[in-house]
Amino acid sequence: MRPTVYVADIAQHEGREVTLHGWLHNRRSSGKLHFLQLRDGTGFLQCVVFKGNVTPEVFHEADHLPQETSLTVTGTVKKDPRSPIGYELDVKDLAAAARPAREFPLGHKEHGVAFLMEQRHLWLRSQRQQVILRVRHTVEKAIRDFFDGRGFTLVDAPIFTPSACEGTSTLFEVPYFDLGKAYLTQSGQLYMEAAAMALGKAYCFGPTFRAEKSKTRRHLTEFWMVEPEVAWMDLEGDMQLMEEFVSFVVQAALGKHGRELKEVLERDVSKLEKVQAPFPRITYTEAVEVIQKTGHPMKWGDDIGGDEETLVASAYDRPVMVHRYPAEMKAFYFKKDPDDPRVALGCDVLAPEGYGEIIGGGQREDDLAVLEAAIAHHRLPKEAFEWYLDLRRYGTVPHAGFGAGVERMVAWICGLHHVRETIPFARMMERITP
RNA sequence: UCCCCAGUAGCUCAGUCGGCAGAGCAGGUGACUGUUAAUCACCGGGUCGCAUGUUCGAGUCAUGCCUGGGGAGCCA
């Protein structure tokens, strides 16, 4: 095999004869010219087969190769203003490595969502899905870079857990030897609190599972979440961390994929350019007033649902931070506001353009007696939380953190209708294959 | 768990009042020296989701079921 040249590096080879490996993405013909669109994972390159430049056998084959044939092409790299990437390959020779055993199911016209999800393993080959997967990769790398650059330590949380972290959501149950039932994690937060008491600043980044029967564009049963936790941090510090985190990740994705977002995904990137800290902050109480002013029926104590989220978020051109929710609506571990015990020191970040909650977090209850009372109030089994209570028994400190959903962030950044396209193989209530 | 919608060719869909199963794309055979989802001509392609019922006759009407999609609740 000759050293492989990639489409992404094609400009370096102008005027030279090179060999590329890839797949036949599409093919057009115009008599004595065949146009082959070669896809190699790094980009798309038009290979021009002129009848006078190749053998009759090669010319005939070039007009009969099916879509997604794997092939090797040799030719001269030529500059051409008609090409979207500025270059074409003037083909001298080509050989099919493997013709498809049967017709490739995905054409270049429209397909329905259900069919595309059934063919997800093949759908990934489309330009659009390639861009989304690359943005996801960049988002995940930016997440790591952000925390690593601020002295956080990555601490992997367990996937098997003995019980619910929050006691509300439905969990996936699995048999666990002689110990009975285990559950797939729905949050690594409690473990990160333990890690923060050891390392000061810690975060976990991994899959999370929710067995809720949610059928919406914002839900998956298996999704990825990053959860930082910081000792000696209050809600104010936490909110500052949130806005700096979101800004960093969005700008990283924009910097690396701005052109693809614009050209392939048709994203209005000017809206992403505005995503710079600080973000607007309003209390839950203020949010309720904003919602009421729009004529939407709502009273203090009601949850902010999807419609209400959009009403609040659409008032700003940046993500909005809604803090100090009614304590009754939040999990047992949230610390109550000393100035108003009706509300918890929690904060949600709502993305603009109707993408909803991308972050949830806040300051944790650090007082042993108050936390014990909260566990009792929520009717949770105290035995299961003894280790968690130990964190308050041995040198308790104020601490805070949050959880950010990767798929919702990617969907927002890419401007997608549904989170299922942001994860390589989505797991949903009605789908577990491929 | 609840509400709404859809299921007809490989794919996307049309199918009127209940009366012979259709189109575009994809595939095949050709034409064309600049195509960008190329275009043009011709050809092949059907368990109308499943079951029961009404009817002389059901893709079409009724009931039930299955599958999928959208949303609510809940959440990231």
Side-chain angles (χ1 to χ4, degrees):
Chain A
M1 264 187 191
R2 291 176 63 168
T4 302
V5 168
Y6 291 104
V7 173
D9 308 322
I10 204 73
Q12 301 165 19
H13 301 275
E14 186 186 343
R16 288 211 290 272
E17 186 179 299
V18 296
T19 295
L20 295 100
H21 303 292
W23 293 263
L24 183 62
H25 184 71
N26 199 7
R27 173 168 54 76
R28 284 178 289 273
S29 177
S30 182
K32 290 172 183 158
L33 284 172
H34 301 317
F35 302 97
L36 308 183
Q37 312 300 325
L38 185 80
R39 171 179 64 75
D40 78 342
T42 72
F44 294 81
L45 178 69
Q46 175 155 281
C47 303
V48 183
V49 185
F50 175 54
K51 193 171 186 177
N53 290 353
V54 296
T55 65
E57 292 74 27
V58 166
F59 187 74
H60 183 264
E61 185 171 35
D63 198 28
H64 288 82
L65 292 174
Q67 187 186 347
E68 291 305 315
T69 298
S70 50
L71 72 167
T72 298
V73 186
T74 300
T76 307
V77 179
K78 290 199 169 167
K79 204 164 192 164
D80 194 307
R82 290 166 292 196
S83 164
I85 61 168
Y87 297 91
E88 288 185 341
L89 192 75
D90 198 9
V91 176
K92 181 184 164 193
D93 194 19
L94 68 86
R99 284 165 171 265
R102 60 176 76 146
E103 187 188 325
F104 192 68
L106 302 179
H108 297 291
K109 294 260 177 165
E110 288 175 38
H111 291 293
V113 171
F115 179 74
L116 288 169
M117 287 305 289
E118 275 162 26
Q119 306 293 332
R120 182 62 174 167
H121 51 298
L122 303 177
W123 190 21
L124 296 180
R125 301 182 184 195
S126 75
Q127 191 179 19
R128 175 185 165 86
Q129 297 307 316
Q130 286 184 37
V131 169
I132 294 168
L133 290 182
R134 288 203 182 91
V135 171
R136 180 188 172 97
H137 164 83
T138 297
V139 164
E140 292 186 331
K141 181 166 174 9
I143 286 170
R144 291 288 312 268
D145 288 345
F146 177 82
F147 291 114
D148 294 355
R150 286 165 177 253
F152 281 72
T153 301
L154 177 69
V155 177
D156 300 316
I159 304 290
F160 289 130
T161 59
S163 64
C165 290
E166 303 178 18
T168 51
S169 303
T170 320
L171 298 169
F172 284 106
E173 201 179 279
V174 287
Y176 200 81
F177 304 114
D178 295 336
L179 297 180
K181 292 167 185 165
Y183 304 88
L184 300 185
T185 182
Q186 62 173 350
S187 170
Q189 182 205 312
L190 270 49
Y191 299 100
M192 287 309 102
E193 290 187 49
M197 298 307 135
L199 297 154
K201 291 186 273 190
Y203 72 106
C204 62
F205 190 9
T208 297
F209 307 89
R210 302 275 166 94
E212 288 150 358
K213 293 189 174 178
S214 299
K215 286 183 66 173
T216 83
R217 71 180 76 174
R218 299 186 305 278
H219 287 87
L220 298 168
T221 56
E222 177 183 316
F223 64 97
W224 285 64
M225 189 156 70
V226 59
E227 294 175 281
E229 194 72 29
V230 185
W232 304 99
M233 180 177 266
D234 60 9
L235 179 64
E236 287 308 302
D238 199 29
M239 287 168 69
Q240 199 180 330
L241 188 67
M242 289 179 191
E243 64 191 1
E244 287 172 6
F245 165 76
V246 172
S247 305
F248 184 90
V249 171
V250 169
Q251 295 313 316
L254 199 52
K256 190 153 188 195
H257 303 287
R259 190 179 158 172
E260 291 167 297
L261 285 169
K262 208 153 128 187
E263 292 177 2
V264 179
L265 302 180
E266 295 172 343
R267 181 72 166 100
D268 181 357
V269 293
S270 70
K271 290 184 174 166
L272 296 176
E273 283 160 2
K274 290 176 187 154
V275 180
Q276 305 273 5
F279 296 161
R281 303 175 179 199
I282 61 170
T283 63
Y284 165 87
T285 304
E286 289 163 344
V288 169
E289 286 165 9
V290 168
I291 292 162
Q292 285 170 341
K293 272 179 192 159
T294 66
H296 192 89
M298 186 185 182
K299 63 179 190 294
W300 199 95
D302 289 349
D303 203 355
I304 295 183
D307 293 347
E308 292 86 3
E309 270 179 15
T310 305
L311 281 175
V312 174
S314 63
Y316 305 92
D317 62 355
R318 282 167 294 165
V320 56
M321 309 178 83
V322 183
H323 58 96
R324 292 177 167 80
Y325 283 79
E328 280 302 314
M329 284 165 45
K330 289 289 177 184
F332 74 94
Y333 49 71
F334 277 93
K335 188 175 181 66
K336 290 187 176 64
D337 187 348
D339 297 334
D340 181 1
R342 294 181 307 156
V343 299
L345 294 175
C347 174
D348 289 349
V349 179
L350 308 182
E353 303 171 72
Y355 283 92
E357 186 182 343
I358 50 172
I359 287 182
Q363 189 173 340
R364 321 306 185 188
E365 180 53 67
D366 51 280
D367 185 275
L368 177 63
V370 175
L371 189 57
E372 282 176 325
I375 287 171
H377 180 72
H378 283 81
R379 291 183 185 147
L380 297 170
K382 195 186 170 196
E383 319 78 66
F385 293 97
E386 282 300 333
W387 71 265
Y388 184 65
L389 292 166
D390 271 354
L391 304 177
R392 278 73 179 170
R393 290 184 181 113
Y394 305 105
T396 187
V397 301
H399 61 290
F402 63 83
V406 169
E407 287 76 16
R408 287 190 184 176
M409 290 182 74
V410 174
W412 165 47
I413 291 167
C414 290
L416 305 178
H417 177 70
H418 199 298
V419 292
R420 66 188 152 209
E421 280 185 74
T422 67
I423 188 164
F425 295 95
R427 293 292 173 255
M428 293 177 292
M429 193 179 139
E430 307 284 1
R431 180 170 302 285
I432 196 165
T433 54

